[in-house]
């Protein structure tokens, strides 16, 4: 368990450094801007002349504080590790003379791909280096707690990034907005491919012979309920099937809960839509 946690932090740091390299060495020199809160930081830096890495850290800081209050310490620790690696990476790579001798379009495609791969490593390890994802996570969690229903983060993330690109269009220029939009499509396509649409709701199906401890842990640590179905295995005999819905950032905690409760079999699937 300890080794797995160390490897997850290494994955977050590597992914954050890949993302910072893409932004500092490929995207910005080719007039493209990252999305999310990093995009806001870049806009602020361009308009004020302030240091980019400082802007990235200061704009991300309120979201980290909000995550500490509303989400949980483990998620915050992973996000802080990613944010620090990303910020230090930006500061370092900005000073590296790197020239990509190709057309803007191809450079942006390459940069978007590197950014997407880096963010994939961060997200799959249970971390986050973008405040928009933290904001979306908090909103859907609060809505779920209040209504008892599950919500996707998709609409919130799209709305947040739409505001970022409108700001780029108005405050920077049209070409930067269009190139940045291309970065968004490429990066999110890669992230969705390797995380199976991380912004969507995840259905966890658990087959176990000892459901009480699992249900108790899920309720106390995730504030989630489960659908309980009596089932029977051809070999294992009588057992219980639990069905629970979580978002991607709660999935890491769910994995930890399941790993502590031995003797269970579980699967994860993506839910495109929930009808009510």
């Amino acid at each position: 368990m300890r080794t797995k946690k160390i490897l997850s932090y290494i994955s977050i740091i590597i992914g954050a450094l890949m993302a910072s390299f893409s932004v500092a060495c490929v995207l910005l020199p080719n007039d493209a801007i990252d999305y999310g809160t990093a995009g806001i930081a870049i806009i602020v830096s361009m308009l004020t002349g302030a240091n980019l890495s400082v802007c990235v850290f200061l704009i991300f800081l309120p979201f980290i504080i909000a995550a500490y209050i509303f989400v949980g310490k483990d998620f915050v620790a992973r996000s802080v590790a990613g944010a620090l690696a990303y910020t230090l990476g930006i500061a370092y790579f900005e000073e590296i003379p790197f020239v990509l001798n190709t057309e803007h379009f191809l450079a942006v495609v390459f940069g978007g791909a590197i950014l997407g791969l880096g963010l994939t490593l961060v997200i799959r390890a249970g971390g986050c280096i973008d405040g928009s994802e933290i904001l979306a996570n908090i909103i859907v969690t609060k809505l779920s707690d209040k209504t008892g229903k599950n919500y996707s983060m998709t609409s919130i993330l799209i709305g947040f990034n739409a505001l970022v690109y409108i700001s780029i269009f108005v405050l920077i220029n049209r070409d930067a907005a269009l190139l940045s939009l291309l970065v968004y499509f490429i990066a999110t396509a890669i992230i969705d491919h390797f995380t199976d649409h991380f912004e969507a709701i995840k259905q966890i199906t658990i087959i176990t012979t000892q459901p009480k401890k699992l249900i108790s842990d899920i309720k106390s640590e995730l504030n989630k309920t489960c659908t309980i179905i009596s089932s029977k295995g051809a070999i294992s005999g009588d057992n219980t099937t639990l069905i629970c819905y979580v978002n991607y950032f709660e999935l890491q905690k769910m994995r930890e809960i399941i790993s502590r409760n031995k003797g269970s079999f579980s699967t994860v699937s993506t839910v495109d839509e929930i009808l009510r």
Side-chain angles (χ1 to χ4, degrees):
M1 190 72 176
R2 185 179 179 85
T3 302
K4 190 173 181 180
K5 193 167 187 176
I6 292 172
L7 289 175
S8 71
Y9 275 92
I10 292 173
S11 179
I12 288 170
I13 292 170
I14 292 173
L17 291 176
M18 288 175 63
S20 62
F21 168 79
S22 171
V23 171
C25 294
V26 182
L27 297 181
L28 288 179
N30 287 279
D31 303 322
I33 294 175
D34 194 2
Y35 58 93
T37 52
I40 295 175
I42 293 170
I43 294 171
V44 171
S45 176
M46 286 182 169
L47 295 177
T48 64
N51 182 274
L52 176 57
S53 58
V54 173
C55 290
V56 168
F57 180 78
L58 291 178
I59 289 177
F60 192 58
L61 184 59
F63 295 93
I64 287 287
I65 295 172
Y68 181 82
I69 296 171
F70 296 108
V71 181
K73 294 180 181 179
D74 186 60
F75 175 75
V76 169
R78 294 169 190 268
S79 298
V80 168
L84 288 175
Y86 182 77
T87 302
L88 294 174
I90 289 286
Y92 175 75
F93 288 123
E94 275 188 309
E95 304 300 323
I96 298 296
F98 181 86
V99 179
L100 194 63
N101 293 317
T102 185
E103 297 179 0
H104 275 359
F105 178 81
L106 293 177
V108 168
V109 170
F110 174 74
I114 296 296
L115 177 64
L117 289 172
L119 293 177
T120 296
L121 287 175
V122 174
I123 292 170
R124 284 183 66 88
C128 177
I129 58 173
D130 190 86
S132 64
E133 293 160 5
I134 293 176
L135 177 65
N137 185 22
I138 292 171
I139 290 174
V140 298
T141 299
K142 289 300 177 183
L143 285 174
S144 179
D145 291 344
K146 187 173 182 178
T147 64
K149 300 176 182 178
N150 294 282
Y151 298 89
S152 168
M153 295 187 289
T154 303
S155 58
I156 300 171
L157 292 174
I158 290 176
F160 188 98
N161 287 304
L163 293 175
V164 172
Y165 288 121
I166 291 171
S167 300
I168 295 171
F169 187 90
V170 173
L171 300 174
I172 308 300
N173 61 62
R174 179 181 60 187
D175 291 341
L178 294 176
L179 288 171
S180 302
L181 191 59
L182 178 61
V183 172
Y184 175 75
F185 283 129
I186 293 171
T188 53
I190 291 174
I191 294 169
D192 284 348
H193 176 74
F194 287 106
T195 64
D196 192 21
H197 300 277
F198 86 95
E199 77 282 359
I201 298 167
K202 302 297 177 181
Q203 176 181 298
I204 316 297
T205 303
I206 309 168
I207 300 173
T208 179
T209 56
Q210 298 177 332
K212 289 185 178 180
K213 183 65 166 58
L214 268 168
I215 294 170
S216 175
D217 288 349
I218 291 170
K219 176 63 179 175
S220 63
E221 296 182 37
L222 285 172
N223 195 28
K224 298 286 184 180
T225 186
C226 297
T227 298
I228 305 171
I229 304 171
S230 296
S231 53
K232 189 171 185 177
I235 297 174
S236 61
D238 292 337
N239 52 49
T240 302
T241 298
L242 306 177
I243 299 176
C244 185
Y245 297 94
V246 299
N247 64 51
Y248 199 92
F249 295 109
E250 294 168 327
L251 188 56
Q252 185 68 28
K253 175 59 72 174
M254 180 64 82
R255 288 193 180 105
E256 293 174 6
I257 292 171
I258 293 171
S259 68
R260 293 200 307 264
N261 292 267
K262 305 297 182 182
S264 63
F265 172 81
S266 58
T267 61
V268 180
S269 56
T270 297
V271 178
D272 293 323
E273 184 178 5
I274 292 180
L275 301 177
R276 300 183 176 92

